[in-house]
Amino acid sequence: MRCGAVKAKELNQPRDELRKTVTEIKKDVHTQLEQTKRTNKNVHNISKELRKLHREGINNATNSVTLVAVLFATVAFAAIFTVPGGDDNSGIAVVATHAAFKIFFIFNATALFTSLAVVVVQITLVRGETKAERRVVEVINKLMWLASVCTSVAFMAAAYIVVGKRHAWAADIVTAVGGVIMAGVLGTMTYYVVKSKRSRSMRKRVKSEKRSGSSSWLPSDFSNSDVEKIYAL
């Protein structure tokens, strides 16, 4: 030992330490893989729940829009046969030659056909495609905006027929109040819709830049664009 000789077990000690280190590394790698699998499973379950909530929200929105569209169509259809000012013995409206009645008739018919178009789309819509359903909801919401505007204009025109020229000031007040309310609501909704679309496009751009720069740790199921915020338009 003075001359530098070593024992046999001391010669095997580095090999045993290396074997022990390799075993620990394998154990750590296995633990990390198990944790990654559990994380991916949890994220996949979360994405499924989000899709379920998203689909339920879209279904509720479409059902509500269908109910409102049927209500608009019913009111517009009934207004055609109970025209303001009444009709004569031949069934023709008494005020058929007045400009207010023509405006009432045109806008009421537009509201009727727009509402019926929404109902037809909702009946024939195939459920299951989240992206397609979201686009359809956006379109039918805009159609309902149009039906609301047409119904409001028809009511304003009918107000001039009902009150007559003598009390036209009452119809003017109704038109001013209705116009301010509808313009304010539609203007505010349009602002928020445009704002949400811009923020959504910016988020998509940022996501695409991040994905191009580095690979995402999320699984492909969760990174699907179906899972997004639900906007009530």
Side-chain angles (χ1 to χ4, degrees), residues 47 91 127 133 171 173 200 223 230:
S47 66
R127 308 293 180 182
E133 287 181 1
I173 294 177
R200 194 183 305 175
S223 60
I230 302 175

Side-chain angles (χ1 to χ4, degrees), residues 12-61:
N12 293 332
Q13 187 175 2
R15 185 179 61 186
D16 294 339
E17 291 180 355
L18 179 61
R19 185 180 303 164
K20 183 178 179 182
T21 303
V22 171
T23 303
E24 291 177 353
I25 292 175
K26 286 183 178 180
K27 186 177 179 181
D28 292 340
V29 171
H30 181 71
T31 303
Q32 291 180 359
L33 289 175
E34 290 295 329
Q35 290 179 354
T36 303
K37 288 181 180 179
R38 286 196 295 269
T39 302
N40 290 339
K41 185 178 180 180
N42 292 333
V43 171
H44 180 69
N45 293 333
I46 292 173
S47 66
K48 287 177 64 177
E49 291 296 327
L50 287 175
R51 283 197 188 91
K52 184 179 178 181
L53 292 174
H54 196 183
R55 188 169 288 109
E56 289 179 356
I58 291 177
N59 290 336
N60 292 334

Side-chain angles (χ1 to χ4, degrees), residues 57-180:
I58 291 177
N59 290 336
N60 292 334
T62 52
N63 293 335
S64 300
V65 171
T66 303
L67 181 61
V68 175
V70 171
L71 180 61
F72 270 95
T74 303
V75 173
F77 188 82
I80 292 294
F81 296 98
T82 56
V83 293
D87 50 15
D88 54 16
N89 295 330
S90 60
I92 300 175
V94 176
V95 291
T97 57
H98 292 195
F101 179 81
K102 295 177 181 178
I103 295 174
F104 163 79
F105 187 81
I106 293 173
F107 280 90
N108 187 73
T110 304
L112 171 64
F113 295 129
T114 304
S115 302
L116 291 177
V118 171
V119 174
V120 171
V121 170
Q122 295 286 56
I123 293 174
T124 58
L125 179 63
V126 179
R127 308 293 180 182
E129 292 291 335
T130 309
K131 289 183 178 179
E133 287 181 1
R134 187 171 62 244
R135 293 195 186 98
V136 170
V137 169
E138 293 179 358
V139 173
I140 62 178
N141 281 338
K142 305 307 182 297
L143 291 177
M144 291 307 301
W145 289 12
L146 177 60
S148 301
V149 172
C150 291
T151 303
S152 301
V153 174
F155 179 81
M156 295 174 190
Y160 283 95
I161 299 174
V162 173
V163 299
K165 295 182 179 180
R166 195 173 199 180
H167 303 284
W169 57 270
D172 293 336
I173 294 177
V174 170
T175 302
V177 173
V180 170

Side-chain angles (χ1 to χ4, degrees), residues 175-190:
T175 302
V177 173
V180 170
I181 292 176
M182 293 301 296
V185 171
L186 293 179
T188 304
M189 293 298 295
T190 303

Side-chain angles (χ1 to χ4, degrees), residues 203-216:
R203 283 197 304 271
K204 288 183 179 180
R205 194 179 305 119
V206 171
K207 285 182 180 179
S208 62
E209 291 176 357
K210 287 183 178 180
R211 288 176 184 175
S212 61
S214 59
S215 59
S216 176

